[in-house]
Amino acid sequence: MKWKTYFFDTVDSTNTQARLYDVGSIVVAKKQTSGRGRYGRIWHSDIGNLYISFVVSQFGIQTPLLAFLFGVAVCEVLPEFSLRLKWPNDVLLNGGKLAGILLEQEDNKLIAGIGLNVTTAPHENMLYQTASLNGQITNEEVLKRLMKTVSDNMDLFIEKGFEPIREKWLKYGYGIGTQISVKLPNETLSGIFEELTPQGAISLKLNNGTRRLITVGDVFFDNKEMKEENK
Ligand code: BTN
């Protein structure tokens, strides 16, 4: 895909700005005044980090699966940092959150916003541990790599469906086969993360032996190593 890129110094949110543009557009800003995350959370958006939104097509009921595609793309473009993914698409560096991805549907378009801590990690009032690349790479270089890899992965998804993206996700996915907890709106479930299903859900084997398919929720790792890192 040939992207058309719109650069801004400051916007409220690149995802909001992106609503104005057609499929194939990218909105990049140096700073956001109302950057937002999943579940209505704030995304701290000071100058220095990357704030970018891709406008792509929707794919009917398969649209939510693109969440995995963008998470995979971030890991693929930064092979030098050994990144991992926390279901569905939080990008982790040494257990801290390096990048977050917010998918929003608007008319017939999907807007995929990526916030990536290229220079600094916000630390104040954070619900989780954060990480940054400490400026070891430029925003421009990350953007250039992402444009190509997102485009390649979109082609793959259009041609072959979710399976090859799912396989790539499994290479970066953290905690598969281990004990995890998933915080749902009204309850927290614990069990073994058995697999990522072809629909992008977590198959969770509960401690009482039954299985639950998880399609929304926040994952926490129960293993000691990650707990230490996630503190
Ligand atoms: C999350 O992990 O909660 C998702 C964070 C997504 C942040 C990005 S920054 C660019 C785009 N614009 C926004 O307002 N949010 C996304």
Side-chain angles (χ1 to χ4, degrees), residues 124-161:
E124 268 167 56
N125 303 323
M126 298 307 290
L127 294 168
Y128 43 78
Q129 193 195 317
T130 52
S132 95
L133 300 178
N134 288 319
Q136 293 175 79
I137 185 166
T138 62
N139 285 354
E140 290 70 29
E141 178 61 25
V142 179
L143 176 61
K144 194 178 96 192
R145 294 184 191 180
L146 270 177
M147 285 165 81
K148 168 149 187 9
T149 301
V150 167
S151 181
D152 290 349
N153 282 342
M154 288 294 296
D155 289 347
L156 189 62
F157 183 77
I158 289 164
E159 256 179 56
K160 304 220 162 105

PDB file of all heavy atoms in Angstrom, residues 124-161:
ATOM      1  N   GLU A 124       4.628   8.710  35.917  1.00  0.00           N
ATOM      2  CA  GLU A 124       3.730   9.189  36.974  1.00  0.00           C
ATOM      3  C   GLU A 124       2.343   8.589  36.871  1.00  0.00           C
ATOM      4  O   GLU A 124       1.746   8.566  35.800  1.00  0.00           O
ATOM      5  CB  GLU A 124       3.613  10.709  36.885  1.00  0.00           C
ATOM      6  CG  GLU A 124       4.639  11.409  37.754  1.00  0.00           C
ATOM      7  CD  GLU A 124       4.729  12.871  37.422  1.00  0.00           C
ATOM      8  OE1 GLU A 124       3.698  13.551  37.486  1.00  0.00           O
ATOM      9  OE2 GLU A 124       5.846  13.307  37.071  1.00  0.00           O
ATOM     10  N   ASN A 125       1.832   8.128  37.996  1.00  0.00           N
ATOM     11  CA  ASN A 125       0.463   7.592  38.084  1.00  0.00           C
ATOM     12  C   ASN A 125       0.181   6.517  37.041  1.00  0.00           C
ATOM     13  O   ASN A 125      -0.901   6.473  36.468  1.00  0.00           O
ATOM     14  CB  ASN A 125      -0.588   8.706  37.896  1.00  0.00           C
ATOM     15  CG  ASN A 125      -0.420   9.805  38.904  1.00  0.00           C
ATOM     16  OD1 ASN A 125      -0.090   9.518  40.050  1.00  0.00           O
ATOM     17  ND2 ASN A 125      -0.628  11.046  38.492  1.00  0.00           N
ATOM     18  N   MET A 126       1.159   5.681  36.764  1.00  0.00           N
ATOM     19  CA  MET A 126       0.910   4.641  35.774  1.00  0.00           C
ATOM     20  C   MET A 126       0.357   3.402  36.466  1.00  0.00           C
ATOM     21  O   MET A 126       0.751   3.065  37.584  1.00  0.00           O
ATOM     22  CB  MET A 126       2.203   4.289  35.035  1.00  0.00           C
ATOM     23  CG  MET A 126       2.794   5.445  34.258  1.00  0.00           C
ATOM     24  SD  MET A 126       1.643   6.215  33.129  1.00  0.00           S
ATOM     25  CE  MET A 126       1.446   4.948  31.896  1.00  0.00           C
ATOM     26  N   LEU A 127      -0.562   2.705  35.776  1.00  0.00           N
ATOM     27  CA  LEU A 127      -1.163   1.493  36.327  1.00  0.00           C
ATOM     28  C   LEU A 127      -0.220   0.306  36.183  1.00  0.00           C
ATOM     29  O   LEU A 127      -0.426  -0.740  36.755  1.00  0.00           O
ATOM     30  CB  LEU A 127      -2.445   1.150  35.550  1.00  0.00           C
ATOM     31  CG  LEU A 127      -3.607   2.112  35.659  1.00  0.00           C
ATOM     32  CD1 LEU A 127      -4.645   1.774  34.604  1.00  0.00           C
ATOM     33  CD2 LEU A 127      -4.198   2.012  37.063  1.00  0.00           C
ATOM     34  N   TYR A 128       0.795   0.488  35.327  1.00  0.00           N
ATOM     35  CA  TYR A 128       1.676  -0.633  35.011  1.00  0.00           C
ATOM     36  C   TYR A 128       3.082  -0.095  34.804  1.00  0.00           C
ATOM     37  O   TYR A 128       3.292   1.116  34.684  1.00  0.00           O
ATOM     38  CB  TYR A 128       1.188  -1.322  33.727  1.00  0.00           C
ATOM     39  CG  TYR A 128       0.777  -0.340  32.651  1.00  0.00           C
ATOM     40  CD1 TYR A 128       1.733   0.315  31.879  1.00  0.00           C
ATOM     41  CD2 TYR A 128      -0.564  -0.014  32.433  1.00  0.00           C
ATOM     42  CE1 TYR A 128       1.369   1.247  30.926  1.00  0.00           C
ATOM     43  CE2 TYR A 128      -0.935   0.924  31.470  1.00  0.00           C
ATOM     44  CZ  TYR A 128       0.041   1.550  30.725  1.00  0.00           C
ATOM     45  OH  TYR A 128      -0.317   2.481  29.776  1.00  0.00           O
ATOM     46  N   GLN A 129       4.051  -1.017  34.758  1.00  0.00           N
ATOM     47  CA  GLN A 129       5.429  -0.607  34.501  1.00  0.00           C
ATOM     48  C   GLN A 129       5.578  -0.193  33.041  1.00  0.00           C
ATOM     49  O   GLN A 129       4.958  -0.787  32.155  1.00  0.00           O
ATOM     50  CB  GLN A 129       6.360  -1.777  34.792  1.00  0.00           C
ATOM     51  CG  GLN A 129       7.817  -1.361  34.864  1.00  0.00           C
ATOM     52  CD  GLN A 129       8.723  -2.564  34.798  1.00  0.00           C
ATOM     53  OE1 GLN A 129       8.450  -3.572  35.436  1.00  0.00           O
ATOM     54  NE2 GLN A 129       9.791  -2.458  34.032  1.00  0.00           N
ATOM     55  N   THR A 130       6.366   0.845  32.781  1.00  0.00           N
ATOM     56  CA  THR A 130       6.532   1.332  31.409  1.00  0.00           C
ATOM     57  C   THR A 130       7.995   1.189  30.976  1.00  0.00           C
ATOM     58  O   THR A 130       8.876   0.985  31.811  1.00  0.00           O
ATOM     59  CB  THR A 130       6.118   2.813  31.317  1.00  0.00           C
ATOM     60  OG1 THR A 130       6.821   3.542  32.322  1.00  0.00           O
ATOM     61  CG2 THR A 130       4.629   2.990  31.522  1.00  0.00           C
ATOM     62  N   ALA A 131       8.213   1.297  29.680  1.00  0.00           N
ATOM     63  CA  ALA A 131       9.575   1.162  29.146  1.00  0.00           C
ATOM     64  C   ALA A 131       9.722   2.100  27.957  1.00  0.00           C
ATOM     65  O   ALA A 131       8.729   2.517  27.359  1.00  0.00           O
ATOM     66  CB  ALA A 131       9.806  -0.275  28.683  1.00  0.00           C
ATOM     67  N   SER A 132      10.963   2.437  27.635  1.00  0.00           N
ATOM     68  CA  SER A 132      11.191   3.226  26.418  1.00  0.00           C
ATOM     69  C   SER A 132      12.459   2.733  25.723  1.00  0.00           C
ATOM     70  O   SER A 132      13.259   1.998  26.305  1.00  0.00           O
ATOM     71  CB  SER A 132      11.315   4.712  26.749  1.00  0.00           C
ATOM     72  OG  SER A 132      12.665   5.095  26.891  1.00  0.00           O
ATOM     73  N   LEU A 133      12.617   3.165  24.470  1.00  0.00           N
ATOM     74  CA  LEU A 133      13.817   2.778  23.709  1.00  0.00           C
ATOM     75  C   LEU A 133      14.967   3.734  24.000  1.00  0.00           C
ATOM     76  O   LEU A 133      16.042   3.602  23.421  1.00  0.00           O
ATOM     77  CB  LEU A 133      13.507   2.779  22.204  1.00  0.00           C
ATOM     78  CG  LEU A 133      12.394   1.830  21.739  1.00  0.00           C
ATOM     79  CD1 LEU A 133      12.177   1.982  20.226  1.00  0.00           C
ATOM     80  CD2 LEU A 133      12.735   0.385  22.064  1.00  0.00           C
ATOM     81  N   ASN A 134      14.728   4.703  24.894  1.00  0.00           N
ATOM     82  CA  ASN A 134      15.764   5.664  25.283  1.00  0.00           C
ATOM     83  C   ASN A 134      16.434   6.351  24.102  1.00  0.00           C
ATOM     84  O   ASN A 134      17.648   6.597  24.124  1.00  0.00           O
ATOM     85  CB  ASN A 134      16.852   4.967  26.125  1.00  0.00           C
ATOM     86  CG  ASN A 134      16.327   4.631  27.495  1.00  0.00           C
ATOM     87  OD1 ASN A 134      15.612   5.427  28.101  1.00  0.00           O
ATOM     88  ND2 ASN A 134      16.634   3.426  27.974  1.00  0.00           N
ATOM     89  N   GLY A 135      15.674   6.601  23.072  1.00  0.00           N
ATOM     90  CA  GLY A 135      16.212   7.321  21.920  1.00  0.00           C
ATOM     91  C   GLY A 135      17.283   6.578  21.142  1.00  0.00           C
ATOM     92  O   GLY A 135      18.056   7.201  20.409  1.00  0.00           O
ATOM     93  N   GLN A 136      17.318   5.248  21.266  1.00  0.00           N
ATOM     94  CA  GLN A 136      18.344   4.498  20.530  1.00  0.00           C
ATOM     95  C   GLN A 136      18.023   4.383  19.042  1.00  0.00           C
ATOM     96  O   GLN A 136      18.808   3.827  18.269  1.00  0.00           O
ATOM     97  CB  GLN A 136      18.500   3.103  21.132  1.00  0.00           C
ATOM     98  CG  GLN A 136      19.070   3.137  22.538  1.00  0.00           C
ATOM     99  CD  GLN A 136      19.083   1.755  23.142  1.00  0.00           C
ATOM    100  OE1 GLN A 136      19.962   0.954  22.841  1.00  0.00           O
ATOM    101  NE2 GLN A 136      18.098   1.459  23.966  1.00  0.00           N
ATOM    102  N   ILE A 137      16.853   4.872  18.661  1.00  0.00           N
ATOM    103  CA  ILE A 137      16.448   4.883  17.256  1.00  0.00           C
ATOM    104  C   ILE A 137      15.605   6.151  17.085  1.00  0.00           C
ATOM    105  O   ILE A 137      15.074   6.666  18.076  1.00  0.00           O
ATOM    106  CB  ILE A 137      15.676   3.588  16.925  1.00  0.00           C
ATOM    107  CG1 ILE A 137      15.329   3.476  15.454  1.00  0.00           C
ATOM    108  CG2 ILE A 137      14.423   3.449  17.763  1.00  0.00           C
ATOM    109  CD1 ILE A 137      14.878   2.069  15.042  1.00  0.00           C
ATOM    110  N   THR A 138      15.500   6.662  15.875  1.00  0.00           N
ATOM    111  CA  THR A 138      14.704   7.891  15.704  1.00  0.00           C
ATOM    112  C   THR A 138      13.245   7.538  15.385  1.00  0.00           C
ATOM    113  O   THR A 138      12.951   6.458  14.865  1.00  0.00           O
ATOM    114  CB  THR A 138      15.245   8.756  14.548  1.00  0.00           C
ATOM    115  OG1 THR A 138      15.143   7.988  13.339  1.00  0.00           O
ATOM    116  CG2 THR A 138      16.679   9.178  14.783  1.00  0.00           C
ATOM    117  N   ASN A 139      12.354   8.505  15.669  1.00  0.00           N
ATOM    118  CA  ASN A 139      10.941   8.337  15.306  1.00  0.00           C
ATOM    119  C   ASN A 139      10.804   8.112  13.795  1.00  0.00           C
ATOM    120  O   ASN A 139       9.977   7.309  13.357  1.00  0.00           O
ATOM    121  CB  ASN A 139      10.151   9.597  15.676  1.00  0.00           C
ATOM    122  CG  ASN A 139       9.899   9.694  17.156  1.00  0.00           C
ATOM    123  OD1 ASN A 139      10.216   8.774  17.910  1.00  0.00           O
ATOM    124  ND2 ASN A 139       9.344  10.801  17.591  1.00  0.00           N
ATOM    125  N   GLU A 140      11.621   8.837  13.029  1.00  0.00           N
ATOM    126  CA  GLU A 140      11.528   8.749  11.564  1.00  0.00           C
ATOM    127  C   GLU A 140      11.840   7.330  11.084  1.00  0.00           C
ATOM    128  O   GLU A 140      11.186   6.798  10.203  1.00  0.00           O
ATOM    129  CB  GLU A 140      12.504   9.727  10.894  1.00  0.00           C
ATOM    130  CG  GLU A 140      12.151  11.194  11.044  1.00  0.00           C
ATOM    131  CD  GLU A 140      12.319  11.721  12.472  1.00  0.00           C
ATOM    132  OE1 GLU A 140      13.179  11.187  13.221  1.00  0.00           O
ATOM    133  OE2 GLU A 140      11.584  12.646  12.852  1.00  0.00           O
ATOM    134  N   GLU A 141      12.870   6.737  11.706  1.00  0.00           N
ATOM    135  CA  GLU A 141      13.255   5.381  11.291  1.00  0.00           C
ATOM    136  C   GLU A 141      12.155   4.377  11.657  1.00  0.00           C
ATOM    137  O   GLU A 141      11.813   3.502  10.856  1.00  0.00           O
ATOM    138  CB  GLU A 141      14.601   5.002  11.959  1.00  0.00           C
ATOM    139  CG  GLU A 141      15.108   3.609  11.662  1.00  0.00           C
ATOM    140  CD  GLU A 141      15.392   3.331  10.175  1.00  0.00           C
ATOM    141  OE1 GLU A 141      15.653   4.295   9.426  1.00  0.00           O
ATOM    142  OE2 GLU A 141      15.326   2.148   9.790  1.00  0.00           O
ATOM    143  N   VAL A 142      11.593   4.517  12.857  1.00  0.00           N
ATOM    144  CA  VAL A 142      10.520   3.593  13.269  1.00  0.00           C
ATOM    145  C   VAL A 142       9.331   3.742  12.319  1.00  0.00           C
ATOM    146  O   VAL A 142       8.762   2.756  11.855  1.00  0.00           O
ATOM    147  CB  VAL A 142      10.065   3.860  14.723  1.00  0.00           C
ATOM    148  CG1 VAL A 142       8.929   2.918  15.117  1.00  0.00           C
ATOM    149  CG2 VAL A 142      11.227   3.718  15.700  1.00  0.00           C
ATOM    150  N   LEU A 143       9.006   4.990  12.002  1.00  0.00           N
ATOM    151  CA  LEU A 143       7.873   5.259  11.116  1.00  0.00           C
ATOM    152  C   LEU A 143       8.098   4.639   9.740  1.00  0.00           C
ATOM    153  O   LEU A 143       7.215   3.975   9.180  1.00  0.00           O
ATOM    154  CB  LEU A 143       7.695   6.780  10.995  1.00  0.00           C
ATOM    155  CG  LEU A 143       6.631   7.276  10.042  1.00  0.00           C
ATOM    156  CD1 LEU A 143       5.268   6.771  10.453  1.00  0.00           C
ATOM    157  CD2 LEU A 143       6.620   8.809  10.010  1.00  0.00           C
ATOM    158  N   LYS A 144       9.299   4.835   9.218  1.00  0.00           N
ATOM    159  CA  LYS A 144       9.622   4.292   7.890  1.00  0.00           C
ATOM    160  C   LYS A 144       9.457   2.759   7.875  1.00  0.00           C
ATOM    161  O   LYS A 144       8.830   2.183   6.979  1.00  0.00           O
ATOM    162  CB  LYS A 144      11.066   4.673   7.531  1.00  0.00           C
ATOM    163  CG  LYS A 144      11.414   4.471   6.084  1.00  0.00           C
ATOM    164  CD  LYS A 144      12.826   4.901   5.768  1.00  0.00           C
ATOM    165  CE  LYS A 144      13.726   3.677   5.825  1.00  0.00           C
ATOM    166  NZ  LYS A 144      15.149   3.982   5.813  1.00  0.00           N
ATOM    167  N   ARG A 145      10.000   2.124   8.920  1.00  0.00           N
ATOM    168  CA  ARG A 145       9.910   0.668   8.975  1.00  0.00           C
ATOM    169  C   ARG A 145       8.459   0.215   9.136  1.00  0.00           C
ATOM    170  O   ARG A 145       8.024  -0.769   8.535  1.00  0.00           O
ATOM    171  CB  ARG A 145      10.738   0.147  10.162  1.00  0.00           C
ATOM    172  CG  ARG A 145      12.234   0.381  10.027  1.00  0.00           C
ATOM    173  CD  ARG A 145      12.941  -0.266  11.211  1.00  0.00           C
ATOM    174  NE  ARG A 145      14.340   0.097  11.323  1.00  0.00           N
ATOM    175  CZ  ARG A 145      15.143  -0.351  12.292  1.00  0.00           C
ATOM    176  NH1 ARG A 145      14.684  -1.165  13.220  1.00  0.00           N
ATOM    177  NH2 ARG A 145      16.401   0.019  12.341  1.00  0.00           N
ATOM    178  N   LEU A 146       7.697   0.951   9.961  1.00  0.00           N
ATOM    179  CA  LEU A 146       6.305   0.552  10.203  1.00  0.00           C
ATOM    180  C   LEU A 146       5.465   0.660   8.933  1.00  0.00           C
ATOM    181  O   LEU A 146       4.610  -0.195   8.669  1.00  0.00           O
ATOM    182  CB  LEU A 146       5.671   1.453  11.268  1.00  0.00           C
ATOM    183  CG  LEU A 146       5.787   1.017  12.726  1.00  0.00           C
ATOM    184  CD1 LEU A 146       5.181   2.068  13.630  1.00  0.00           C
ATOM    185  CD2 LEU A 146       5.128  -0.347  12.974  1.00  0.00           C
ATOM    186  N   MET A 147       5.713   1.705   8.145  1.00  0.00           N
ATOM    187  CA  MET A 147       4.930   1.889   6.927  1.00  0.00           C
ATOM    188  C   MET A 147       5.056   0.665   6.029  1.00  0.00           C
ATOM    189  O   MET A 147       4.077   0.174   5.482  1.00  0.00           O
ATOM    190  CB  MET A 147       5.397   3.152   6.188  1.00  0.00           C
ATOM    191  CG  MET A 147       4.916   4.422   6.860  1.00  0.00           C
ATOM    192  SD  MET A 147       5.763   5.893   6.309  1.00  0.00           S
ATOM    193  CE  MET A 147       4.910   6.224   4.815  1.00  0.00           C
ATOM    194  N   LYS A 148       6.271   0.163   5.912  1.00  0.00           N
ATOM    195  CA  LYS A 148       6.488  -0.991   5.029  1.00  0.00           C
ATOM    196  C   LYS A 148       5.880  -2.260   5.650  1.00  0.00           C
ATOM    197  O   LYS A 148       5.159  -3.011   4.988  1.00  0.00           O
ATOM    198  CB  LYS A 148       7.988  -1.174   4.780  1.00  0.00           C
ATOM    199  CG  LYS A 148       8.306  -2.493   4.138  1.00  0.00           C
ATOM    200  CD  LYS A 148       9.506  -2.483   3.241  1.00  0.00           C
ATOM    201  CE  LYS A 148       9.726  -3.782   2.469  1.00  0.00           C
ATOM    202  NZ  LYS A 148       8.721  -4.795   2.498  1.00  0.00           N
ATOM    203  N   THR A 149       6.153  -2.473   6.918  1.00  0.00           N
ATOM    204  CA  THR A 149       5.739  -3.748   7.524  1.00  0.00           C
ATOM    205  C   THR A 149       4.232  -3.835   7.715  1.00  0.00           C
ATOM    206  O   THR A 149       3.648  -4.899   7.526  1.00  0.00           O
ATOM    207  CB  THR A 149       6.515  -3.940   8.853  1.00  0.00           C
ATOM    208  OG1 THR A 149       7.898  -3.931   8.526  1.00  0.00           O
ATOM    209  CG2 THR A 149       6.163  -5.239   9.537  1.00  0.00           C
ATOM    210  N   VAL A 150       3.591  -2.721   8.074  1.00  0.00           N
ATOM    211  CA  VAL A 150       2.126  -2.749   8.197  1.00  0.00           C
ATOM    212  C   VAL A 150       1.530  -3.056   6.826  1.00  0.00           C
ATOM    213  O   VAL A 150       0.618  -3.881   6.702  1.00  0.00           O
ATOM    214  CB  VAL A 150       1.586  -1.411   8.762  1.00  0.00           C
ATOM    215  CG1 VAL A 150       0.071  -1.323   8.585  1.00  0.00           C
ATOM    216  CG2 VAL A 150       1.958  -1.270  10.234  1.00  0.00           C
ATOM    217  N   SER A 151       2.087  -2.425   5.802  1.00  0.00           N
ATOM    218  CA  SER A 151       1.594  -2.656   4.453  1.00  0.00           C
ATOM    219  C   SER A 151       1.757  -4.138   4.052  1.00  0.00           C
ATOM    220  O   SER A 151       0.823  -4.769   3.553  1.00  0.00           O
ATOM    221  CB  SER A 151       2.365  -1.738   3.513  1.00  0.00           C
ATOM    222  OG  SER A 151       1.938  -1.900   2.224  1.00  0.00           O
ATOM    223  N   ASP A 152       2.928  -4.697   4.313  1.00  0.00           N
ATOM    224  CA  ASP A 152       3.174  -6.115   3.992  1.00  0.00           C
ATOM    225  C   ASP A 152       2.210  -7.021   4.755  1.00  0.00           C
ATOM    226  O   ASP A 152       1.663  -7.981   4.214  1.00  0.00           O
ATOM    227  CB  ASP A 152       4.613  -6.516   4.361  1.00  0.00           C
ATOM    228  CG  ASP A 152       5.640  -5.866   3.443  1.00  0.00           C
ATOM    229  OD1 ASP A 152       5.233  -5.290   2.410  1.00  0.00           O
ATOM    230  OD2 ASP A 152       6.842  -5.919   3.770  1.00  0.00           O
ATOM    231  N   ASN A 153       2.022  -6.720   6.039  1.00  0.00           N
ATOM    232  CA  ASN A 153       1.146  -7.575   6.845  1.00  0.00           C
ATOM    233  C   ASN A 153      -0.319  -7.441   6.426  1.00  0.00           C
ATOM    234  O   ASN A 153      -1.074  -8.415   6.499  1.00  0.00           O
ATOM    235  CB  ASN A 153       1.311  -7.267   8.343  1.00  0.00           C
ATOM    236  CG  ASN A 153       2.577  -7.887   8.915  1.00  0.00           C
ATOM    237  OD1 ASN A 153       3.153  -8.792   8.322  1.00  0.00           O
ATOM    238  ND2 ASN A 153       3.013  -7.411  10.064  1.00  0.00           N
ATOM    239  N   MET A 154      -0.708  -6.253   5.981  1.00  0.00           N
ATOM    240  CA  MET A 154      -2.077  -6.082   5.477  1.00  0.00           C
ATOM    241  C   MET A 154      -2.273  -6.948   4.223  1.00  0.00           C
ATOM    242  O   MET A 154      -3.288  -7.617   4.077  1.00  0.00           O
ATOM    243  CB  MET A 154      -2.359  -4.614   5.125  1.00  0.00           C
ATOM    244  CG  MET A 154      -2.513  -3.671   6.296  1.00  0.00           C
ATOM    245  SD  MET A 154      -3.938  -3.949   7.352  1.00  0.00           S
ATOM    246  CE  MET A 154      -5.271  -3.634   6.235  1.00  0.00           C
ATOM    247  N   ASP A 155      -1.269  -6.926   3.338  1.00  0.00           N
ATOM    248  CA  ASP A 155      -1.365  -7.755   2.124  1.00  0.00           C
ATOM    249  C   ASP A 155      -1.496  -9.231   2.487  1.00  0.00           C
ATOM    250  O   ASP A 155      -2.287  -9.968   1.898  1.00  0.00           O
ATOM    251  CB  ASP A 155      -0.112  -7.564   1.246  1.00  0.00           C
ATOM    252  CG  ASP A 155      -0.090  -6.178   0.602  1.00  0.00           C
ATOM    253  OD1 ASP A 155      -1.130  -5.494   0.629  1.00  0.00           O
ATOM    254  OD2 ASP A 155       0.982  -5.772   0.111  1.00  0.00           O
ATOM    255  N   LEU A 156      -0.698  -9.637   3.480  1.00  0.00           N
ATOM    256  CA  LEU A 156      -0.731 -11.033   3.928  1.00  0.00           C
ATOM    257  C   LEU A 156      -2.112 -11.386   4.478  1.00  0.00           C
ATOM    258  O   LEU A 156      -2.682 -12.437   4.174  1.00  0.00           O
ATOM    259  CB  LEU A 156       0.335 -11.197   5.024  1.00  0.00           C
ATOM    260  CG  LEU A 156       0.658 -12.586   5.524  1.00  0.00           C
ATOM    261  CD1 LEU A 156       1.222 -13.439   4.394  1.00  0.00           C
ATOM    262  CD2 LEU A 156       1.694 -12.504   6.667  1.00  0.00           C
ATOM    263  N   PHE A 157      -2.664 -10.487   5.277  1.00  0.00           N
ATOM    264  CA  PHE A 157      -3.986 -10.701   5.875  1.00  0.00           C
ATOM    265  C   PHE A 157      -5.067 -10.792   4.786  1.00  0.00           C
ATOM    266  O   PHE A 157      -5.935 -11.666   4.826  1.00  0.00           O
ATOM    267  CB  PHE A 157      -4.276  -9.539   6.831  1.00  0.00           C
ATOM    268  CG  PHE A 157      -5.575  -9.661   7.582  1.00  0.00           C
ATOM    269  CD1 PHE A 157      -5.681 -10.513   8.672  1.00  0.00           C
ATOM    270  CD2 PHE A 157      -6.683  -8.914   7.204  1.00  0.00           C
ATOM    271  CE1 PHE A 157      -6.885 -10.617   9.376  1.00  0.00           C
ATOM    272  CE2 PHE A 157      -7.885  -9.013   7.898  1.00  0.00           C
ATOM    273  CZ  PHE A 157      -7.988  -9.870   8.989  1.00  0.00           C
ATOM    274  N   ILE A 158      -4.959  -9.920   3.792  1.00  0.00           N
ATOM    275  CA  ILE A 158      -5.964  -9.904   2.720  1.00  0.00           C
ATOM    276  C   ILE A 158      -5.867 -11.194   1.891  1.00  0.00           C
ATOM    277  O   ILE A 158      -6.858 -11.808   1.541  1.00  0.00           O
ATOM    278  CB  ILE A 158      -5.779  -8.649   1.827  1.00  0.00           C
ATOM    279  CG1 ILE A 158      -6.201  -7.408   2.615  1.00  0.00           C
ATOM    280  CG2 ILE A 158      -6.575  -8.750   0.533  1.00  0.00           C
ATOM    281  CD1 ILE A 158      -5.735  -6.086   2.035  1.00  0.00           C
ATOM    282  N   GLU A 159      -4.622 -11.619   1.646  1.00  0.00           N
ATOM    283  CA  GLU A 159      -4.430 -12.821   0.819  1.00  0.00           C
ATOM    284  C   GLU A 159      -4.712 -14.109   1.550  1.00  0.00           C
ATOM    285  O   GLU A 159      -5.337 -15.023   1.042  1.00  0.00           O
ATOM    286  CB  GLU A 159      -2.962 -12.880   0.362  1.00  0.00           C
ATOM    287  CG  GLU A 159      -2.736 -12.482  -1.067  1.00  0.00           C
ATOM    288  CD  GLU A 159      -1.262 -12.546  -1.383  1.00  0.00           C
ATOM    289  OE1 GLU A 159      -0.646 -13.616  -1.188  1.00  0.00           O
ATOM    290  OE2 GLU A 159      -0.722 -11.497  -1.777  1.00  0.00           O
ATOM    291  N   LYS A 160      -4.190 -14.202   2.804  1.00  0.00           N
ATOM    292  CA  LYS A 160      -4.213 -15.509   3.472  1.00  0.00           C
ATOM    293  C   LYS A 160      -5.009 -15.531   4.771  1.00  0.00           C
ATOM    294  O   LYS A 160      -5.041 -16.555   5.456  1.00  0.00           O
ATOM    295  CB  LYS A 160      -2.767 -15.936   3.773  1.00  0.00           C
ATOM    296  CG  LYS A 160      -1.868 -15.977   2.546  1.00  0.00           C
ATOM    297  CD  LYS A 160      -0.964 -17.180   2.594  1.00  0.00           C
ATOM    298  CE  LYS A 160      -0.398 -17.501   1.242  1.00  0.00           C
ATOM    299  NZ  LYS A 160       1.002 -17.129   1.105  1.00  0.00           N
ATOM    300  N   GLY A 161      -5.607 -14.399   5.155  1.00  0.00           N
ATOM    301  CA  GLY A 161      -6.421 -14.401   6.379  1.00  0.00           C
ATOM    302  C   GLY A 161      -5.589 -14.257   7.633  1.00  0.00           C
ATOM    303  O   GLY A 161      -4.412 -13.880   7.592  1.00  0.00           O
TER     304      GLY A 161
END
